[in-house]
Amino acid sequence: MNVKDFNYELPQELIAQDPLEDRSSSRLMVLGREDGSIRHGIFRDITDELHPGDCLVINNTKVLPARLYGTKEGTQAGIELLLLKRLSDDRWETLVKPGKKAKPGAKIIFGGGLLTGEIVEIAQEGNRVIQFSYQGIFEEILDQLGEMPLPPYITHHLEDKQRYQTVYAKEEGSAAAPTAGLHFTPQLLAQIRAKGVEIAEVTLHVGLGTFRPVKVDHILDHHMHAEFYTITKEQADKINQAKAAGHRVIAVGTTSTRTLETVADEAGYVREASGYTQIFIYPDYQFRCIDALITNFHLPQSTLLMLVSALAGRERVLSAYEEAVREKYRFFSFGDAMLII
């Protein structure tokens, strides 16, 4: 299967640059898995699509303000750094720009000395391992100095960091938001619970690989980056009880989907687990756990578009995307949503 099979034309002006004032006022396209039917609505009305007994699975990861700007000690040269993965308490794998100025032994000063990082190693793909030094609590310093690591297609400045967090974010560790969850408000979640829908939580820390384009011609040659996930027994039990009773498991986002499909057995039941997943879901994949998916509109030729195509069929999904373009839906992280049922 060729990467170009997942291409579509998207006018630049349809890439959402800013979040809507009301999270739940995004548009919602409802796509039928079996017949390709399409309905249009508003996200807050998603309660009409949910049934008592359904289990909605959300990803409670929290995005770190992981982009830092500093200067190289001794030269004052500007350095941009993106935290990728915590290796130990104060040692991180990072992406550094420009890389040629980031050799082992180099020190980078942030916030006038509030935070100092020394490059101690060059890791895979040219990433740098940095040992940080500071006084106080690292997370508080990071919140003071760091910026949200918005994807490269968003060029507007984000005034409120919380708009790139879900309202239920609590487990810090992501380099990107699980954007399907950005549409929910506390009020909407309360309405969903009041309808008798169970809400279960998983954690998958989204890595930088979510932004990386597929650079190979054939999708089977693509290497997926590993991302850390956790699901507790309590949350697994909620999902399994819904499935055992014949109710639907509805994943909020591709990250929740990948977590559930990683830990599900052949019958679709999930277990308490944690670890790293590199699961790559593309057409012909047989879903074991999820029955429906809430997701955003994804980049052309991306692994996320491939996952959605695996659930609803490539031709149906691309046809729905063409309609979304005609109807001027807003695309990508701050854009509108799709429910595949």
Side-chain angles (χ1 to χ4, degrees):
M1 196 172 292
N2 199 289
V3 172
K4 292 179 181 177
D5 294 335
F6 299 89
N7 197 27
Y8 67 92
E9 295 297 324
L10 179 68
Q12 191 77 12
E13 64 268 18
L14 295 185
I15 300 175
Q17 292 294 324
D18 304 288
L20 297 179
E21 185 173 346
D22 175 6
R23 291 173 182 259
S24 64
S25 65
S26 298
R27 296 170 73 184
L28 176 69
M29 175 184 285
V30 182
L31 173 64
R33 291 174 62 182
E34 301 303 324
D35 60 4
S37 62
I38 292 175
R39 290 181 281 118
H40 303 283
I42 301 297
F43 192 84
R44 69 173 69 91
D45 297 327
I46 200 164
T47 51
D48 297 336
E49 306 292 340
L50 303 177
H51 306 150
D54 283 344
C55 184
L56 196 68
V57 184
I58 60 178
N59 180 6
N60 64 14
T61 189
K62 189 173 185 179
V63 185
L64 291 165
R67 181 165 277 124
L68 292 162
Y69 296 93
T71 55
K72 185 178 177 183
E73 186 180 62
T75 68
Q76 300 303 305
I79 297 286
E80 178 184 339
L81 183 148
L82 183 65
L83 303 178
L84 297 179
K85 183 166 65 176
R86 188 175 226 147
L87 303 176
S88 60
D89 282 350
D90 296 321
R91 187 172 289 225
W92 287 77
E93 183 176 341
T94 69
L95 180 66
V96 180
K97 295 180 182 178
K100 62 183 180 181
K101 297 180 181 178
K103 297 177 181 178
K107 291 186 177 180
I108 307 170
I109 311 299
F110 305 95
L114 278 178
L115 183 67
T116 301
E118 180 179 355
I119 298 170
V120 294
E121 184 184 338
I122 298 178
Q124 291 183 341
E125 299 182 354
N127 296 338
R128 268 48 174 184
V129 176
I130 292 188
Q131 179 76 39
F132 287 105
S133 303
Y134 52 90
Q135 295 290 325
I137 299 172
F138 181 77
E139 285 75 12
E140 291 181 358
I141 294 171
L142 191 61
D143 192 54
Q144 181 179 345
L145 299 180
E147 294 185 3
M148 282 300 188
L150 296 178
Y153 49 75
I154 294 178
T155 58
H156 290 189
H157 177 70
L158 182 65
E159 295 293 337
D160 181 2
K161 289 181 182 179
Q162 294 307 308
R163 295 311 308 273
Y164 196 58
Q165 299 278 21
T166 62
V167 297
Y168 45 75
K170 60 184 178 184
E171 301 293 340
E172 286 191 330
S174 267
T179 55
L182 295 178
H183 305 284
F184 289 93
T185 64
Q187 295 80 7
L188 181 55
L189 289 168
Q191 291 171 17
I192 290 169
R193 287 190 176 96
K195 191 166 183 177
V197 175
E198 185 67 80
I199 298 179
E201 299 183 15
V202 299
T203 304
L204 183 136
H205 293 320
V206 189
L208 190 65
T210 194
F211 299 140
R212 287 198 170 124
V214 178
K215 295 181 179 179
V216 295
D217 291 331
H218 299 286
I219 65 173
L220 292 181
D221 295 331
H222 177 66
H223 173 73
M224 290 288 286
H225 287 74
E227 295 173 313
F228 181 79
Y229 71 88
T230 300
I231 177 171
T232 66
K233 183 180 185 303
E234 177 187 5
Q235 302 303 318
D237 287 347
K238 291 181 183 180
I239 297 162
N240 291 337
Q241 287 164 11
K243 186 164 283 290
H247 298 299
R248 297 179 301 177
V249 175
I250 302 170
V252 177
T254 57
T255 58
S256 297
T257 300
R258 294 178 68 242
T259 303
L260 294 173
E261 294 297 318
T262 294
V263 301
D265 64 19
E266 291 298 326
Y269 291 95
V270 298
R271 68 188 190 282
E272 176 183 14
S274 65
Y276 286 87
T277 181
Q278 290 179 278
I279 190 170
F280 183 12
I281 298 175
Y282 53 86
D284 292 334
Y285 177 85
Q286 298 300 309
F287 286 86
R288 296 184 288 187
C289 183
I290 76 161
D291 302 293
L293 171 65
I294 298 168
T295 188
N296 279 20
F297 290 88
H298 303 294
L299 277 74
Q301 301 186 26
S302 64
T303 60
L304 306 182
L305 183 56
M306 294 171 194
L307 183 153
V308 172
S309 298
L311 185 63
R314 184 184 69 88
E315 292 183 359
R316 284 193 184 123
V317 167
L318 291 178
S319 178
Y321 272 52
E322 288 174 6
E323 177 153 346
V325 169
R326 285 195 300 271
E327 295 292 328
K328 299 193 183 314
Y329 272 65
R330 302 166 72 248
F331 278 66
F332 306 161
S333 295
F334 288 140
D336 296 316
M338 172 185 280
L339 167 64
I340 301 174
I341 54 176

